[in-house]
Amino acid sequence: DAGVIQSPRHEVTEMGQEVTLRCKPISGHDYLFWYRQTMMRGLELLIYFNNNVPIDDSGMPEDRFSAKMPNASFSTLKIQPSEPRDSAVYFCASSFRQEVYGYTFGSGTRLTVV
Amino acid sequence: AQSVTQLDSQVPVFEEAPVELRCNYSSSVSVYLFWYVQYPNQGLQLLLKYLSGSTLVKGINGFEAEFNKSQTSFHLRKPSVHISDTAEYFCAVTPRGTGKLIFGQGTTLQVKP
C-alpha cells in the first residue's frame, strides 16, 4: 500500500493565483480529511468527507477555499485567489473505522504564497 | 464542543531520562483518545490510542499513556527517551460517532545528549 499520496509536495505561487492541492486516499478508506498546519494555529481541520460526501466544512476559512471529492480515490482542495496568509502545510488524511485504526496522513503539501 | 489542551509547548529532557507529555480534553460526549507523532518535514504517525477497557495503553517506540476519566486527561509517558524521540507530539480526540479528529496544539519534545 502506497499510503495517502499528496501532490505537489511543495508549491510556490504568487498572490491572486489559483492553487489546487491533490490527495489520493488509501483504497478502501471511507473518510477523508483536509488539515492545515501553521505555527500560529497548529493543526486545523478544514473539511472532511464520508463516502465522498462533505460532512463538516466549518473549518474552511472563507469562500476562497473549496474542496471536492468526485470519487473514492481522489480529492482536491482549491484556493482561489490565494493570499500570503494561506501559506502553510496542508495535510490530507484518510481512515477506515478510525477509532480502531487511526488516521493515515499524507506527507503534506507545503504552500508558499508570495 | 470539544477541545484539547496540551499543557506544555516544549519539553526539554536529557537522553535516557523519563518524560511525560500532558494532555487534557473537554467534551460533552464520550471520546476516543489518540497520540500522534510528527518528525520534521513528515506527516503524522499514530503512536497509540484509547478506545475502551484498560486505562493504560501501550504504543509504539516504548510510549504509553493513561486515561483518567475523572481528570479528563490522557498523559503520554516514556521511561527512557532517546535522541530519536525528538519530534512534535499531538494529543487528539474523536467524539464518538463523528469520525472527526480534533488536535491539541502540540508539544515539542527536545531530547538532549
Side-chain angles (χ1 to χ4, degrees):
Chain A
D1 194 332
V4 176
I5 300 173
Q6 290 188 248
S7 64
R9 287 295 309 272
H10 302 273
E11 176 81 33
V12 180
T13 190
E14 292 185 348
M15 183 174 62
Q17 296 298 307
E18 177 180 294
V19 176
T20 299
L21 311 181
R22 298 173 176 79
C23 175
K24 177 180 170 56
I26 291 176
S27 177
H29 281 191
D30 55 351
Y31 280 90
L32 184 138
F33 307 82
W34 283 100
Y35 284 88
R36 178 172 67 176
Q37 186 177 34
T38 60
M39 289 292 291
M40 292 296 295
R41 301 173 69 91
L43 274 161
E44 302 173 275
L45 176 63
L46 300 178
I47 184 171
Y48 74 100
F49 297 83
N50 179 220
N51 293 321
N52 312 337
V53 177
I55 301 301
D56 185 345
D57 65 354
S58 60
M60 297 286 263
E62 47 198 276
D63 292 346
R64 297 185 297 106
F65 285 70
S66 62
K68 294 182 180 179
M69 191 164 187
N71 56 62
S73 59
F74 184 66
S75 177
T76 60
L77 178 68
K78 186 177 293 186
I79 309 172
Q80 165 63 16
S82 58
E83 297 182 3
R85 60 193 168 119
D86 301 330
S87 297
V89 180
Y90 291 81
F91 287 104
C92 175
S94 70
S95 75
F96 172 71
R97 293 196 63 196
Q98 69 91 12
E99 70 273 14
V100 176
Y101 302 109
Y103 288 24
T104 301
F105 280 79
S107 298
T109 295
R110 183 174 295 276
L111 173 65
T112 303
V113 183
V114 298
Chain B
Q2 296 78 30
S3 66
V4 180
T5 302
Q6 291 184 241
L7 298 164
D8 306 293
S9 59
Q10 294 189 7
V11 174
V13 63
F14 286 105
E15 193 173 18
E16 298 184 6
V19 70
E20 178 180 81
L21 306 184
R22 297 179 294 167
C23 173
N24 287 92
Y25 68 94
S26 172
S27 177
S28 56
V29 300
S30 296
V31 297
Y32 301 117
L33 297 150
F34 304 83
W35 275 97
Y36 282 80
V37 60
Q38 184 180 30
Y39 298 103
N41 299 314
Q42 295 187 25
L44 281 77
Q45 178 183 0
L46 180 65
L47 265 183
L48 49 79
K49 58 184 181 288
Y50 173 77
L51 307 180
S52 63
S54 172
T55 58
L56 183 63
V57 293
K58 295 187 183 296
I60 62 172
N61 302 340
F63 284 93
E64 61 181 33
E66 185 158 20
F67 170 56
N68 187 317
K69 186 175 182 179
S70 62
Q71 297 186 4
T72 59
S73 68
F74 191 53
H75 300 334
L76 181 70
R77 302 185 185 102
K78 187 170 182 177
S80 175
V81 295
H82 303 288
I83 296 288
S84 59
D85 292 323
T86 295
E88 188 87 7
Y89 292 80
F90 293 92
C91 182
V93 302
T94 291
R96 296 194 180 195
T98 67
K100 181 176 179 178
L101 192 62
I102 302 162
F103 285 94
Q105 286 294 98
T107 297
T108 301
L109 176 62
Q110 301 164 323
V111 182
K112 304 175 181 180

